[in-house]
Amino acid sequence: MRIPLSWLREYAAVPVDATAEDVMAHLVRVGLEEEAVHRPTDELQGPIVVGQVLSIVKEPQTNGKTINWCSVRVVPEGAEQELDGDGIDPSGLQGIVCGAHNFQEGDKVVVTLPGAVLPGDFRISPRKTYGHVSAGMIASVKELGIGEDHDGILVLSTLGLDPEPGTDAMELLGLYDEAAEINVTPDRGYCFSIRGVAREYAHATGTSFTDPAGAVVVPDATGNGYPVRLEDSAPIYGRPGCDRFVARTVRGVDPTRPTPTWLSARLRLAGIRSISLVVDVSNYVMLELGQPLHFYDLDRLSGDIVVRRALPGEKLTTLDDKVRALDTGDLLITDDSGPIGIAGVMGGAATEVSGSTVNVLIESAHFEEVGIGRSRRRHKLPSEASKRFERGVDWNVADIAAQRAVELITSLAGGTADPTGTDEGHAPAPRVIDLAGDFPSRLIGREFTPEQIIGTLEDLGASVTAHDGGYSVTPPSWRPDLETREDLTEEIIRLEGYDTIPSTLPVAPPGRGLTRVQQQRRRLMNALAASGLTEVLSYPFVSERSNAVFGNADEGTKVAAVKLANPLSAELGYLRTSVLPGLIEVVKRNHSRSFRDLALFEAGLVFQPAGSMGTGSIPPLGEKPAEEVLDALYEGIPYQPLTIAAVFTGNDAPASAGSAPRAWDWADALDTVRLMGDVVGVEVIIEQGTHQAFHPGRTARVGLRDGEVLGYAGELHPKLIATLDLPARTVALEINADLLFEAAADVIVARPLSSFPATTQDVALVVADGVVSSEVLETLREGAGELLEDVHLFDVYAGEGIPEGSKSLAFALRFRAPDRTLTADEASAARDAAVALASTRFGAVQRR
């Protein structure tokens, strides 16, 4: 909403020297948001004066154009020029070359003299053109920045003006005014008017406010006006679409009357284009009082006006000359010919006011907010009227706005108003809100005296009645957003000042902070990000097929999943049982945009229902449910473990000079799993595994020492990669983080470091092909005893020298004692014990 300051000063005590910035600074204090300043003088500078064309000499040019060599008087007749500067003639006569032809000798025009600056930083100076020195320019409305017409210059008589030459044209056209633009939130619809903003400015500054509605006296009608019927067969939420319709008639309007410059200047500064006098009056009243109006050409109406819902198949040609198919939910203005307007949104072309209209019917109605908003969105027809109606308009101002429009039309365009009038509808019942006396203080956290509460609400326009323990408050008619005691309390503190709310930092209670699991989760997320992975988020909604593939390791096993009652799409109708489907979609989206070297991870909940979900009934509101009821509610919620998944594609680094990039492989997924275990202090066991979504020979099952499975890691299945259009050899992992956290100790105790040297011995064992190497490694660890510090597999060999159906596993064993230097015999004895246990369990034979 743009507020011209000259207009605002008529109803609020704004200082004469106040700028738009000053006004916005005050309005911010009462909760309005500043947007911009509109000041014509920021781009337009004088001298710009009224000039009278004394002579015109038409001179054809070789390029086919004909220019006018004009002599223009820019001072009153008989007076001398008081301005000085390069190109300004002391005689008051300026020679100007002009290419427009829509003026004649004797016309008064706007002249930009040398030294003036026009929008776009166009500076006026004397210049030689077409064989003359043109000292100035005769301006069009577009060159002045006050319109779009550039076909001809501005002739002041077309505006009904006959000023004396030399008059300051900027003051004449209202170009010294400025406007403050504010953002109006949906609950403050009354601020889409000068009336509302002036009231808020008075609240902010404590100065006086004059209600423009109070200055309008609505005379009693001598009889019924134009016949109107309100019929709504489908009210929304029980509220009729139109609950008041005021109609007034003005006859004998002169359609040739121009819009006064003061009115068009205010509309222009408020962001509305001047169209014609009658239309401009409707916009002016809307901006002033906040009540949208619609004017009809009375002679184009046929029969009674009926406000009703649209019938199936009806159409309407709106003012923008578009034929619109109407919906049965649309509220229409109709006559005997059918629809003539979408109520509160846009009128119809058949009855619009034109340049030949002499008899005008004024509509000033009150429409229900929800229906107007739906029609506006349905037809994609944002308008100044709908913007106000869907936020709520003052029911009591309809007749006042109609009378204000009648007065402006009759005074500016002539004509006579009919003494009769139409006012159909019934006033809504006043809303009374009970406000406990101590409620504002309890809610805001500061004390309010009864005088502050009553005074603030009455300044707001409310009617307040005090009673034992509190107040009965009737909000003003222009504030339909005030419905509860919380709304009233917000208004009290808004007008008292948000800066009066005490600011006290809460004291953290001792012994609180992050829980053990929260700390572990934070450390884990930081470690993954620090290792080079990028965290992303994906939607938790997946297809049934995705859950079947990723939600269970065994193919063909039915996966229990939560089905959505109202999914965003039929393809994404289930809550995820695995994080990988959403993460893979992120990978595919990045690949489609040529980002191919990826290492992404996501931590999120998965939903794994077991048994029945939900409860048979909902506990009553207003009281805490019993413990057994709460237990039943929790039991009806599916298991939702925190799950961490990662996907790797492409290379681990971009190619660069002297450094060849390495492709991500299954080992990187396993290293990431080991990192996760190290961060939380849990030993993870990695062994050969199978999962329908992973490569049959490149899949690791990740578990704990007690055998519980945490998840899987490795290369995705080639068929799945082809189906999902992923890069070859895409690597992934998925781990149940909750199980990982549960296995972690409350306190991680570091092992003591021995200062004695280590002894390393290698051993190669020949075992059958079917023996799992990780099981052999664990057996060696067990058999070697406490002296073994570390053991790892470093070679697997099958071929010459190895019996068919067997393989050789080579392990490196590191021994160390905490209190002495080990001898070779002690290390060999521990090694032999480990080999002996492996021989007993797997038939392992030590290879010499």
Side-chain angles (χ1 to χ4, degrees):
M1 174 69 185
R2 298 183 184 182
I3 309 103
L5 264 57
S6 65
W7 204 349
L8 184 65
R9 287 189 176 97
E10 292 186 6
Y11 307 115
V14 180
V16 175
D17 58 347
T19 63
E21 290 86 352
D22 298 331
V23 169
M24 289 193 296
H26 288 299
L27 294 177
V28 166
R29 293 184 55 210
V30 288
L32 296 172
E33 300 175 5
E34 62 180 35
E35 284 289 326
V37 171
H38 299 272
R39 187 180 290 117
T41 54
D42 287 345
E43 291 191 316
L44 193 67
Q45 299 176 22
I48 302 175
V49 299
V50 174
Q52 185 172 24
V53 180
L54 299 183
S55 65
I56 301 175
V57 178
K58 296 186 180 297
E59 298 180 354
Q61 304 297 312
T62 57
N63 59 6
K65 287 184 61 176
T66 298
I67 62 97
N68 297 315
W69 171 238
C70 306
S71 175
V72 185
R73 185 171 67 238
V74 294
V75 297
E77 187 174 0
E80 293 186 358
Q81 177 64 269
E82 297 180 357
L83 301 174
D84 56 9
D86 183 25
I88 298 180
D89 198 306
S91 68
L93 298 179
Q94 298 290 126
I96 300 175
V97 173
C98 182
H101 300 281
N102 65 319
F103 64 102
Q104 57 189 1
E105 294 178 356
D107 282 343
K108 293 181 179 178
V109 295
V110 175
V111 178
T112 57
L113 295 174
V117 180
L118 300 183
D121 198 29
F122 183 71
R123 299 179 179 274
I124 304 300
S125 61
R127 59 192 180 94
K128 189 171 184 180
T129 179
Y130 295 109
H132 301 280
V133 176
S134 182
M137 185 175 75
I138 304 176
S140 67
V141 293
K142 185 172 184 178
E143 289 163 340
L144 293 171
I146 61 175
E148 295 300 321
D149 185 10
H150 194 54
D151 294 335
I153 65 165
L154 172 59
V155 179
L156 295 175
S157 60
T158 61
L159 302 180
L161 300 175
D162 186 22
E164 187 176 43
T167 301
D168 187 341
M170 292 180 63
E171 183 175 359
L172 180 72
L173 299 175
L175 298 177
Y176 288 123
D177 200 0
E178 57 186 292
E181 184 175 0
I182 58 172
N183 180 39
V184 178
T185 54
D187 61 328
R188 307 282 290 277
Y190 65 96
C191 285
F192 274 117
S193 67
I194 301 298
R195 180 194 188 202
V197 175
R199 181 182 283 109
E200 290 300 310
Y201 182 85
H203 290 327
T205 59
T207 56
S208 61
F209 162 67
T210 302
D211 190 349
V216 179
V217 178
V218 181
D220 294 332
T222 59
N224 295 329
Y226 199 94
V228 175
R229 300 198 308 274
L230 307 181
E231 300 174 358
D232 190 353
S233 59
I236 298 176
Y237 303 131
R239 292 183 58 192
C242 177
D243 56 8
R244 190 177 193 188
F245 195 107
V246 174
R248 297 289 301 277
T249 303
V250 179
R251 303 178 189 273
V253 173
D254 183 356
T256 64
R257 294 275 187 94
T259 301
T261 53
W262 62 268
L263 195 152
S264 61
R266 285 183 174 179
L267 290 179
R268 180 177 63 250
L269 202 52
I272 294 181
R273 178 173 58 93
S274 177
I275 299 174
S276 66
L277 177 55
V278 174
V279 175
D280 290 349
V281 165
S282 70
N283 287 327
Y284 187 86
V285 174
M286 176 187 68
L287 291 175
E288 185 173 73
L289 298 176
Q291 169 68 55
L293 303 176
H294 186 71
F295 291 176
Y296 302 91
D297 187 326
L298 183 64
D299 299 326
R300 295 186 179 186
L301 292 173
S302 58
D304 297 357
I305 286 180
V306 180
V307 184
R308 60 168 174 82
R309 298 288 172 181
L311 301 176
E314 283 191 302
K315 295 183 178 181
L316 170 67
T317 302
T318 47
L319 290 174
D320 56 1
D321 290 327
K322 291 184 179 180
V323 179
R324 302 183 184 275
L326 301 173
D327 186 270
T328 54
D330 291 329
L331 187 69
L332 303 181
I333 311 297
T334 69
D335 64 3
D336 289 351
S337 66
I340 58 175
I342 303 175
V345 179
M346 184 173 285
T351 57
E352 71 172 318
V353 172
S354 66
S356 60
T357 299
V358 293
N359 299 317
V360 178
L361 179 71
I362 299 171
E363 168 202 305
S364 180
H366 185 269
F367 300 113
E368 179 268 334
E369 299 89 350
V370 176
I372 300 302
R374 290 178 180 176
S375 291
R376 188 264 302 170
R377 289 188 291 273
R378 183 181 298 122
H379 296 288
K380 297 180 176 60
L381 260 179
S383 64
E384 292 293 330
S386 64
K387 182 165 61 178
R388 288 162 174 80
F389 278 127
E390 65 185 15
R391 287 168 171 80
V393 171
D394 186 358
W395 190 93
N396 291 320
V397 84
D399 56 338
I400 295 172
Q403 177 61 27
R404 174 69 164 147
V406 167
E407 293 174 355
L408 287 172
I409 290 175
T410 54
S411 63
L412 300 177
T416 305
D418 284 2
T420 58
T422 303
D423 194 345
E424 292 292 329
H426 301 283
R431 181 188 298 112
V432 180
I433 304 171
D434 285 329
L435 178 65
D438 63 342
F439 182 78
S441 299
R442 287 190 287 111
L443 184 64
I444 301 301
R446 56 151 285 190
E447 293 298 322
F448 294 97
T449 66
E451 291 76 19
Q452 286 177 315
I453 294 174
I454 295 174
T456 302
L457 292 176
E458 288 182 343
D459 285 347
L460 196 70
S463 174
V464 183
T465 302
H467 56 73
D468 291 341
Y471 312 91
S472 294
V473 183
T474 302
S477 58
W478 56 85
R479 293 298 304 272
D481 58 302
L482 301 182
E483 299 179 339
T484 65
R485 58 181 183 171
E486 288 80 8
D487 295 333
L488 297 177
T489 302
E490 182 181 358
E491 290 301 300
I492 292 171
I493 189 58
R494 183 175 70 87
L495 299 187
E496 283 288 320
Y498 292 118
D499 56 339
T500 65
I501 301 177
S503 177
T504 305
L505 290 176
V507 178
R512 300 290 179 88
L514 297 177
T515 65
R516 180 179 69 90
V517 172
Q518 288 171 335
Q519 292 173 347
Q520 291 171 332
R521 177 174 178 173
R522 182 170 293 186
R523 287 201 303 270
L524 189 55
M525 296 298 100
N526 289 340
L528 291 174
S531 68
L533 279 74
T534 301
E535 185 177 8
V536 298
L537 294 176
S538 63
Y539 283 113
F541 313 123
V542 299
S543 66
E544 185 177 16
R545 171 64 179 164
S546 294
N547 275 340
V549 172
F550 292 96
N552 198 297
D554 301 322
E555 187 174 2
T557 304
K558 183 174 177 58
V559 177
V562 179
K563 186 175 183 180
L564 299 172
N566 186 24
L568 294 175
S569 71
E571 296 179 354
L572 305 177
Y574 291 83
L575 289 176
R576 65 187 177 190
T577 57
S578 167
V579 175
L580 280 175
L583 194 55
I584 287 173
E585 287 300 317
V586 176
V587 170
K588 291 171 62 178
R589 190 178 305 114
N590 277 273
H591 270 256
S592 69
R593 290 158 175 78
S594 299
F595 295 101
R596 304 189 182 279
D597 298 331
L598 302 173
L600 308 178
F601 81 97
E602 178 179 2
L605 301 181
V606 297
F607 305 86
Q608 301 172 351
S612 61
M613 291 188 298
T615 57
S617 61
I618 300 297
L621 301 176
E623 60 184 38
K624 181 181 179 180
E627 292 300 326
E628 58 271 17
V629 176
L630 289 175
D631 291 341
L633 290 172
Y634 286 124
E635 289 175 2
I637 298 175
Y639 176 49
Q640 302 173 40
L642 176 68
T643 303
I644 298 176
V647 176
F648 304 80
T649 68
N651 299 320
D652 63 350
S656 61
S659 174
R662 183 184 65 84
W664 295 111
D665 60 20
W666 58 268
D668 294 293
L670 300 189
D671 285 344
T672 302
V673 170
R674 294 189 183 98
L675 171 66
M676 294 168 64
D678 291 343
V679 167
V680 297
V682 173
E683 181 184 7
V684 295
I685 307 300
I686 297 176
E687 55 190 4
Q688 185 72 35
T690 59
H691 191 292
Q692 61 176 321
F694 287 82
H695 192 291
R698 299 169 187 158
T699 303
R701 182 176 62 192
V702 182
L704 300 173
R705 188 161 289 281
D706 62 5
E708 188 165 22
V709 177
L710 294 177
Y712 293 85
E715 189 176 303
L716 290 179
H717 199 291
K719 290 183 178 179
L720 183 63
I721 287 175
T723 301
L724 297 176
D725 195 23
L726 291 171
R729 313 297 289 270
T730 296
V731 179
L733 66 92
E734 186 165 30
I735 299 297
N736 186 324
D738 280 355
L739 294 180
L740 191 65
F741 296 152
E742 289 175 10
D746 290 343
V747 178
I748 299 176
V749 180
R751 292 185 301 175
L753 297 177
S754 174
S755 60
F756 294 94
T759 298
T760 302
Q761 294 196 16
D762 297 340
V763 62
L765 301 177
V766 179
V767 297
D769 278 340
V771 175
V772 179
S773 60
S774 63
E775 294 178 0
V776 177
L777 185 147
E778 290 300 318
T779 300
L780 293 175
R781 188 192 303 277
E782 180 183 347
E786 295 181 354
L787 293 179
L788 182 66
E789 184 177 75
D790 181 64
V791 56
H792 67 272
L793 176 71
F794 68 86
D795 184 55
V796 178
Y797 173 72
E800 185 177 352
I802 304 298
E804 187 175 352
S806 300
K807 60 184 177 181
S808 172
L809 304 178
F811 297 92
L813 295 84
R814 186 171 69 239
F815 300 95
R816 193 195 307 264
D819 56 350
R820 68 189 186 281
T821 299
L822 285 179
T823 65
D825 291 341
E826 288 177 307
S828 296
R831 180 201 64 195
D832 292 344
V835 172
L837 185 59
S839 177
T840 300
R841 290 185 179 176
F842 306 108
V845 177
Q846 185 172 0
R847 183 182 172 197
R848 301 298 180 178

